[in-house]
Amino acid sequence: MGAPMARRLLKAGHKVRVNSRSIEKARALEPDGAAIISDPARAVAGADAIFVMVPDTPDVEGVVAQIEPALAAGQLVIDMSTISPSAERAISAHLRTIGVSYLDAPVSGGEPGAIEGTLTIMVGGDEAAFKRARPLFEVLGKRITYMGSSGAGQVTKLANQIAVSLTLEGVVEALVFAKAGGLDPARVLDAIGAGAAASWQMSNLGPKIIASDFRPGFFIKLLRKDLNLVTGAARENRNALPGLALVRSMFNLAAVLGHDMDGTQALADALDTFSRVK
Amino acid sequence: MGAPMARRLLKAGHKVRVNSRSIEKARALEPDGAAIISDPARAVAGADAIFVMVPDTPDVEGVVAQIEPALAAGQLVIDMSTISPSAERAISAHLRTIGVSYLDAPVSGGEPGAIEGTLTIMVGGDEAAFKRARPLFEVLGKRITYMGSSGAGQVTKLANQIAVSLTLEGVVEALVFAKAGGLDPARVLDAIGAGAAASWQMSNLGPKIIASDFRPGFFIKLLRKDLNLVTGAARENRNALPGLALVRSMFNLAAVLGHDMDGTQALADALDTFSRVK
């Protein structure tokens, strides 16, 4: 995700310095005009805005620890990873003590959205910092929403993943039920795909499920990470989410069945296996 | 549902005889040109097509038992209720022995769809009978799909209800999670309502949930009946549907909390109550 986003910033005329744990990947951005910097601290020194885009909470914490000695008051750090809301609040409070602004700004829309600059960006943190970052967000995304104080962007992203997961479970159970009932599942999608059952998940992943095309749009491994984050945040809020707990188990079953590097629609295979046990 | 459908048939120039258990309701169709017939057998005698629209499986079985003595070979009975697929297969096989064609043709789209003639109609039964009924379906609905042999219409409708229910559970859990995380739920819908989490349920019921507006589009009582039908059909097919089992329990909780005559979005109150238990 980081590479196409950096490319859009470069195209918009910004100077971009890039650091990555896989520095070879970063080198691919050199022809686009990026300066590849192998030392994280040197990469961020003096920058107007510093973007972080890594997989999980410990990765963000690690990056922040590496760059912190090089940060100066007045700088702005924008984390676009999907990680724990409470971890974001802790990082934000810590950086505030050295005068550095911090935004959590996770995205949805996947790699196609990153390439085309149509990401949805959900932002938490100081509103003044959000206003400062807004022109940069507009290079990267289309639907940019300020959600509230630090962590609010992450809570929004996790709410999105809850809805995504349960909607997909609904599509998968509807198709399994229809198949067991002797129907042609493609015809079922035709019949029900435009009414009250309609969803992005049904329109986009339904046909792939029917074709057993499990090539990844979004990896099950990453969604499982997000659902773990949901579970942690819900526990902090003493917030029971029974459907989410169930669908998380189904995605874990999908992983056990070898689907971690498949797209989320491989949930269909997990339910199929689960459902076949008599 | 029956009244606006009869009205559309009348407007399209058909002669319509109406029988109803609540004959006073039927009288409201007299100004539209319907003949109100208090005896079911007399209502159906000689008709080209006989529509049935009642709440549940025993109701359809009751109607069929009442009209059967008056039916003659070559007549066509169309059941537009949502009932058990296997009951439809039994009725269809039974009527075939006296030369009567039978279609199961449940609908979605609710009363607005019935009034405007935009219902989704999912049809099971002999394809020849479907072709015969098609001009009548076109008066009543927009998306008319022939799904296969007897019962296939009902299986499709129940698959629709599975997807509807789990999608709504996803919307409700996402909003409860967001609220517990301190967010403005209206802003959450804005942020996530057009991406991968998008659904008819989110767009149409999300704002009602936020406003605690539980006025019925579709009664929880009726959806619970449909989910009972799903459970029965799934059992016959030895088909485990873990998410559906869970969401059915949540709708049952909503009923216990007094929401049976509220709209399905009152599921939000059930989850809220469930989730508040520490």
Side-chain angles (χ1 to χ4, degrees), chain A residues 40-111:
Chain A
R42 273 210 310 123
V44 305
D48 294 323
I50 297 136
F51 290 96
V52 182
M53 189 55 144
V54 290
D56 206 347
T57 309
D59 306 297
V60 174
E61 291 168 338
V63 168
V64 170
Q66 283 182 305
I67 65 174
E68 195 193 326
L71 292 177
Q75 277 188 299
L76 169 63
V77 178
I78 304 167
D79 177 27
M80 304 195 79
S81 322
T82 298
I83 71 160
S84 152
S86 57
E88 295 291 41
R89 284 189 284 267
I91 296 170
S92 172
H94 177 69
L95 291 183
R96 193 176 304 128
T97 64
I98 57 166
V100 170
S101 298
Y102 186 79
L103 295 171
D104 53 296
V107 302
S108 73
E111 208 176 336

Side-chain angles (χ1 to χ4, degrees), chain B residues 110-242:
Chain B
E111 209 177 333
I115 292 168
E116 291 154 34
T118 56
L119 293 169
T120 292
I121 309 179
M122 301 149 266
V123 190
D126 274 356
E127 197 158 7
F130 170 70
K131 283 181 182 153
R132 212 169 125 198
R134 188 165 191 126
L136 296 170
F137 288 145
E138 277 164 1
V139 175
L140 303 172
K142 270 264 158 69
R143 191 175 279 241
I144 298 148
T145 317
Y146 177 70
M147 298 305 304
S149 61
S150 182
Q154 298 296 351
V155 175
T156 308
K157 172 68 185 284
L158 296 182
N160 183 76
Q161 302 302 64
I162 295 169
V164 160
S165 302
L166 277 160
T167 303
L168 180 56
E169 179 74 18
V171 173
V172 163
E173 294 203 10
L175 290 176
V176 160
F177 175 82
K179 239 169 82 178
L183 300 192
D184 169 4
R187 210 176 281 191
V188 174
L189 286 189
D190 263 4
I192 72 175
S199 64
W200 187 100
Q201 296 291 315
M202 185 177 280
S203 315
N204 288 274
L205 299 185
K208 292 188 185 186
I209 291 167
I210 291 173
S212 293
D213 173 1
F214 295 157
R215 281 174 298 173
F218 190 69
F219 292 121
I220 283 187
K221 186 187 169 82
L222 287 177
L223 186 55
R224 292 202 306 116
K225 180 214 73 174
D226 292 353
L227 300 188
N228 288 348
L229 294 170
V230 170
T231 306
R235 196 175 292 135
E236 286 168 27
N237 295 333
R238 309 192 66 165
N239 195 197
L241 300 173

Side-chain angles (χ1 to χ4, degrees), chain A residues 139-170:
Chain A
V139 174
L140 303 171
K142 269 263 158 70
R143 192 175 277 241
I144 299 149
T145 315
Y146 177 70
M147 298 305 303
S149 60
S150 182
Q154 298 295 351
V155 175
T156 308
K157 171 68 185 284
L158 297 182
N160 184 75
Q161 302 302 64
I162 294 169
V164 160
S165 302
L166 276 160
T167 303
L168 180 56
E169 179 73 19

